[in-house]
């Protein structure tokens, strides 16, 4: 009997050692660095920014917005950067703002900072000198839908859906409406905003919210195909064209033509502008400098 008790005692001792090891491992795990909210990768002129918080449906918390902004602006003026692709891990591209940050406990100043930062990121996407492509495979709601609408190009899968459901939780999607209302017809935007009802990828394409709808297995291929085509063009020519497009879209017709006409002349004065014309005349591929240099005054 004493032996039996001793055996049980040894078993208890061994269990205690295992438990200690597990607890030690748990402490080590808790002390490891958390995964970044966004992941930035770059190769061959293409920068990929991945929303990396699928457990929280890639909510655009203040920290997520700040991380996204940092990933966009880092080395933004490098000649090696030609295009940016924004995608996400998990079945939700982005569920919008983190509602836990929008309670009364956070206070008005914090709320102001959240929406100011969000507006800064959305306008930054449209103001940067390289095209920004949204690569969407899943749900994009509220500020997540705003993010898609703010990108220059959006390639999405057939299963993707888009919605502005804030009205259903008592917070009308007024800031998402800025981008969405400039991407789709007014009455489509208003129905989305008043009802919160999701629209399908094909309806999003029909109304101009996205550029292309593809099968899930072709999403990466189609998105990279567009990105690689952008990389074949002259960086300063693309930058000038993007900035001009955004500017003239905010103007009346006559002012827009005046702006665009002047920019066409400025474009011709660029070294790459003249190189492209010479290459066409000489029936050869252009050799871009990718520099903002003038061929003539």
């Amino acid at each position: 009997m004493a032996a039996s008790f001793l055996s049980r005692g040894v078993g208890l001792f061994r269990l205690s050692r295992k438990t200690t090891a597990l607890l030690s491992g748990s402490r080590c795990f808790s002390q490891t660095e958390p995964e970044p909210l966004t992941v930035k990768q770059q190769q061959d002129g293409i920068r990929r920014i991945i929303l990396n918080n699928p457990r929280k449906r890639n909510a655009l918390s203040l920290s997520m917005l700040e991380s996204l902004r940092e990933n966009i602006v880092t080395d933004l003026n490098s000649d090696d950067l030609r295009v940016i692709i924004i995608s996400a891990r998990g079945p939700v591209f982005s569920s919008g703002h983190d509602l836990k940050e929008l309670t009364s406990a956070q206070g008005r100043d914090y709320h102001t900072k959240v929406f100011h930062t969000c507006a800064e990121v959305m306008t930054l996407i449209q103001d940067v000198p390289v095209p920004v492509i949204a690569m969407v495979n899943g749900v994009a709601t509220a500020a997540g839908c705003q993010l898609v609408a703010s990108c220059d190009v959006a390639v999405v899968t057939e299963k993707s859906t888009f919605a502005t459901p804030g009205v259903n939780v008592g917070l009308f999607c007024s800031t998402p409406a800025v981008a969405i209302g400039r991407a789709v017809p007014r009455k489509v935007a208003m129905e989305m905003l008043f009802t919160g009802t999701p629209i399908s990828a094909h309806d999003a394409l029909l109304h101009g919210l996205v550029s292309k709808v593809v099968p899930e297995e072709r999403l990466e291929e189609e998105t990279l195909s567009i990105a690689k085509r952008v990389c074949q063009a002259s960086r300063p020519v693309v930058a000038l064209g993007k900035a001009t497009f955004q500017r003239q879209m905010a103007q009346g017709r006559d002012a827009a033509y005046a702006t665009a006409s002047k920019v066409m002349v400025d474009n011709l004065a660029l070294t790459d502008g003249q190189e492209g014309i010479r290459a066409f005349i000489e029936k050869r591929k252009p050799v871009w400098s990718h520099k903002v240099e003038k061929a003539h005054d």
Side-chain angles (χ1 to χ4, degrees), residues 38 55 66 121 123 130 145 168 214 219 240:
T38 61
R55 287 190 306 106
E66 289 172 340
V121 170
T123 55
V130 297
C145 188
N168 298 323
V214 300
L219 178 61
L240 183 61

Side-chain angles (χ1 to χ4, degrees), residues 126 134 145-156 162 178-189 192 199-213 245 249:
Q126 297 187 332
C145 188
Q146 179 185 3
L147 178 58
V148 176
S150 297
C151 290
D152 301 307
V153 177
V155 184
V156 310
F162 306 87
V178 174
I180 294 165
R182 285 162 170 75
V184 307
R186 183 185 297 259
K187 287 181 173 58
V188 174
M192 290 179 68
I199 64 172
S200 68
H202 287 288
D203 281 345
L205 177 64
L206 175 67
H207 298 311
L209 181 61
V210 305
S211 313
K212 185 177 286 191
V213 179
F245 181 83
M249 285 297 290

Side-chain angles (χ1 to χ4, degrees), residues 126-127 150 152 241-251:
Q126 297 187 332
D127 291 345
S150 297
D152 301 307
K242 176 177 174 175
T244 304
F245 181 83
Q246 296 290 355
R247 186 161 69 250
Q248 62 87 13
M249 285 297 290
Q251 297 175 328

Side-chain angles (χ1 to χ4, degrees), residues 171-244:
L171 183 64
F172 198 86
C173 286
S174 294
T175 45
V178 174
I180 294 165
R182 285 162 170 75
V184 307
R186 183 185 297 259
K187 287 181 173 58
V188 174
M190 294 306 282
E191 182 180 351
M192 290 179 68
L193 292 162
F194 287 146
T195 67
T197 304
I199 64 172
S200 68
H202 287 288
D203 281 345
L205 177 64
L206 175 67
H207 298 311
L209 181 61
V210 305
S211 313
K212 185 177 286 191
V213 179
V214 300
E216 185 174 359
E217 63 272 15
R218 286 178 49 208
L219 178 61
E220 183 124 351
E221 175 190 346
E222 292 287 342
T223 306
L224 287 175
S225 176
I226 295 171
K228 289 173 182 177
R229 288 293 299 273
V230 170
C231 290
Q232 292 173 11
S234 162
R235 189 182 197 275
V237 169
V238 170
L240 183 61
K242 176 177 174 175
T244 304

Side-chain angles (χ1 to χ4, degrees), residues 41-211:
Q41 304 165 344
Q42 186 166 325
Q43 184 177 4
D44 299 328
I46 301 171
R47 176 175 298 176
R48 304 190 63 166
I49 301 173
I50 304 164
L51 307 183
N52 190 43
N53 195 11
R55 287 190 306 106
K56 293 193 174 180
R57 298 164 61 88
N58 292 311
L60 296 180
S61 63
L62 181 58
S63 296
M64 174 76 90
L65 288 166
E66 289 172 340
S67 183
L68 179 56
R69 178 179 60 191
E70 179 65 22
N71 287 168
I72 293 171
V73 301
T74 300
D75 297 325
L76 184 59
N77 295 316
S78 168
D79 291 343
D80 294 331
L81 176 62
R82 306 290 172 74
V83 62
I84 295 172
I85 298 173
I86 298 177
S87 61
R89 282 184 58 209
V92 178
F93 177 77
S94 175
S95 60
H97 290 292
D98 184 347
L99 295 183
K100 291 181 180 179
E101 293 187 338
L102 304 181
T103 64
S104 296
Q106 296 294 339
R108 188 179 186 90
D109 289 345
Y110 188 86
H111 297 164
T112 299
K113 186 175 182 181
V114 168
F115 289 106
H116 174 81
T117 304
C118 183
E120 185 181 357
V121 170
M122 302 301 169
T123 55
L124 178 65
I125 287 170
Q126 297 187 332
D127 291 345
V128 295
V130 297
V132 181
I133 304 172
M135 186 172 81
V136 182
N137 184 29
V139 178
T141 61
C145 188
Q146 179 185 3
L147 178 58
V148 176
S150 297
C151 290
D152 301 307
V153 177
V155 184
V156 310
T157 59
E158 295 165 324
K159 73 177 186 180
S160 299
T161 60
F162 306 87
T164 50
V167 67
N168 298 323
V169 296
L171 183 64
F172 198 86
C173 286
S174 294
T175 45
V178 174
I180 294 165
R182 285 162 170 75
V184 307
R186 183 185 297 259
K187 287 181 173 58
V188 174
M190 294 306 282
E191 182 180 351
M192 290 179 68
L193 292 162
F194 287 146
T195 67
T197 304
I199 64 172
S200 68
H202 287 288
D203 281 345
L205 177 64
L206 175 67
H207 298 311
L209 181 61
V210 305
S211 313

Side-chain angles (χ1 to χ4, degrees), residues 233-241 267 270 272 289-293:
S234 162
R235 189 182 197 275
V237 169
V238 170
L240 183 61
N267 194 156
L270 289 174
D272 278 355
S289 71
H290 297 294
K291 303 293 184 183
V292 184
E293 297 174 344

